[in-house]
Amino acid sequence: PCPQRPNSEVLDLIRVSMSTGVDMALDDVIKQSSRGSGGVVRGGRPPRRSSARSSAPYQRSKAPLGEAVGTMSGASVSELAASDNPKLKVSGESKPNSVAGAICNIVREGQKLPSLLATGPAALNQACKAMAIARKYLHEEPDDKGGPVEIVIKPTFEGDIRQSSNVSYELHRAAEIIEREPSEDDLTVKDKTDCFKLAGAIAGRVRDGEDVSITTKGPVPVLVTTKAIALAQEYVAEEGLSLSFTVQFRDLEDPSLRGSPVSTFVQFIIVREA
């Protein structure tokens, strides 16, 4: 369903996350405001999908942010989006639609993209859902140059990637819309997939000039996939290549369960950059 227009809570969380609240999860900010303060396998088979597109869910807002969270009351979205380094922290309890709304408003008003900070599989899963939602709706409205906005993402882990689940998703603007649908050649990730083997498969396909996509579902597989992409970035960097990814929802049959019902998966599309 289409997210609703951002309310004052969403605008408050953008403001706090970009100033003193960067260490708070988005839904913690909302609560504060309301108080008055396996191995690598091939991918699934896509069913028929409707081509209908819904309208963009957000309108431009010039309203002040409200009084509930303190020191910058009265600031506009435009002033917040003027930040040099906007950051939003996502928790496992964050609502993807709310985070997507924050991303859309920062892009719309400041023509820049924020970073999403997440720790733990549940938070990473919510962050990826939010980026998929935001990407869908940014495709449907023009930017300052009259065209749609496409995003690509680079993940960076804090500390040893073997142990860490603390990641920064750095969003960047792509030169053109990226269109790629799932196929039976896609890589699929499960809870026990080895991120190093998956990274090797990604890097190998990139070196061979092949398209690379990964379909997955659930918090742990999303963490494994994110680690594998970060590792693959390191592998191909030695050869002068650069990787990022974008993300979207797709309805698929589970490739590991014969005759399984169609369900919604997250598709990571690997983007090779010159």
Side-chain angles (χ1 to χ4, degrees):
C2 177
Q4 298 179 353
R5 178 179 177 177
N7 55 27
S8 60
E9 288 181 343
V10 173
L11 298 181
D12 283 338
L13 67 88
I14 302 173
R15 178 184 64 72
V16 175
S17 295
M18 294 174 63
S19 55
T20 58
V22 71
D23 291 328
M24 299 177 67
L26 297 182
D27 288 307
D28 290 340
V29 174
I30 291 175
K31 291 175 184 177
Q32 174 179 316
S33 175
S34 65
R35 290 194 298 266
S37 98
V40 179
V41 297
R42 300 295 185 181
R45 181 183 307 162
R48 291 183 178 180
R49 298 171 49 249
S50 170
S51 60
R53 301 179 68 167
S54 57
S55 60
Y58 304 112
Q59 299 178 7
R60 294 180 183 273
S61 173
K62 296 182 180 179
L65 293 171
E67 305 293 329
V69 262
T71 60
M72 292 178 63
S73 60
S76 68
V77 175
S78 297
E79 290 171 325
L80 295 176
S83 168
D84 291 334
N85 188 23
K87 295 181 180 180
L88 302 172
K89 187 167 184 179
V90 183
S91 79
E93 301 299 321
S94 292
K95 297 176 182 178
N97 280 7
S98 294
V99 182
I103 294 170
C104 288
N105 277 286
I106 292 172
V107 173
R108 186 179 296 117
E109 299 299 333
Q111 294 300 318
K112 64 182 63 175
L113 288 155
S115 297
L116 302 187
L117 310 178
T119 300
L124 271 66
N125 193 39
Q126 298 301 82
C128 287
K129 289 179 181 179
M131 291 186 290
I133 294 168
R135 177 176 180 254
K136 172 180 171 61
Y137 290 110
L138 288 171
H139 282 185
E140 297 177 359
E141 60 180 74
D143 62 6
D144 58 342
K145 298 179 181 178
V149 176
E150 178 63 285
I151 61 174
V152 292
I153 305 115
K154 286 183 176 289
T156 304
F157 280 84
E158 180 179 318
D160 184 356
I161 198 169
R162 295 173 183 269
Q163 308 297 330
S164 177
S165 63
N166 188 358
V167 66
S168 172
Y169 290 110
E170 299 174 4
L171 280 62
H172 302 275
R173 191 182 300 254
E176 58 186 10
I177 297 297
I178 299 162
E179 296 183 356
R180 194 178 306 164
E181 292 302 318
S183 76
E184 293 185 354
D185 291 328
D186 287 356
L187 302 171
T188 302
V189 178
K190 300 295 184 181
D191 285 9
K192 296 184 179 180
T193 298
D194 187 314
C195 64
F196 291 92
K197 292 181 179 179
L198 178 61
I202 294 169
R205 291 190 179 193
V206 168
R207 293 185 187 105
D208 292 340
E210 299 179 21
D211 289 341
V212 190
S213 293
I214 305 156
T215 52
T216 192
K217 183 177 183 178
V220 173
V222 166
L223 171 60
V224 172
T225 301
T226 301
K227 286 190 174 187
I229 294 171
L231 287 165
Q233 287 176 162
E234 297 179 5
Y235 296 167
V236 301
E238 300 173 358
E239 301 163 40
L241 301 176
S242 178
L243 295 184
S244 58
F245 74 91
T246 195
V247 63
Q248 62 190 8
F249 293 121
R250 286 296 181 261
D251 292 333
L252 302 169
E253 299 172 1
D254 190 329
S256 65
L257 299 174
R258 180 178 297 179
S260 66
V262 170
S263 60
T264 301
F265 284 73
V266 177
Q267 183 189 22
F268 291 78
I269 301 170
I270 305 301
V271 180
R272 175 176 171 170
E273 301 171 349

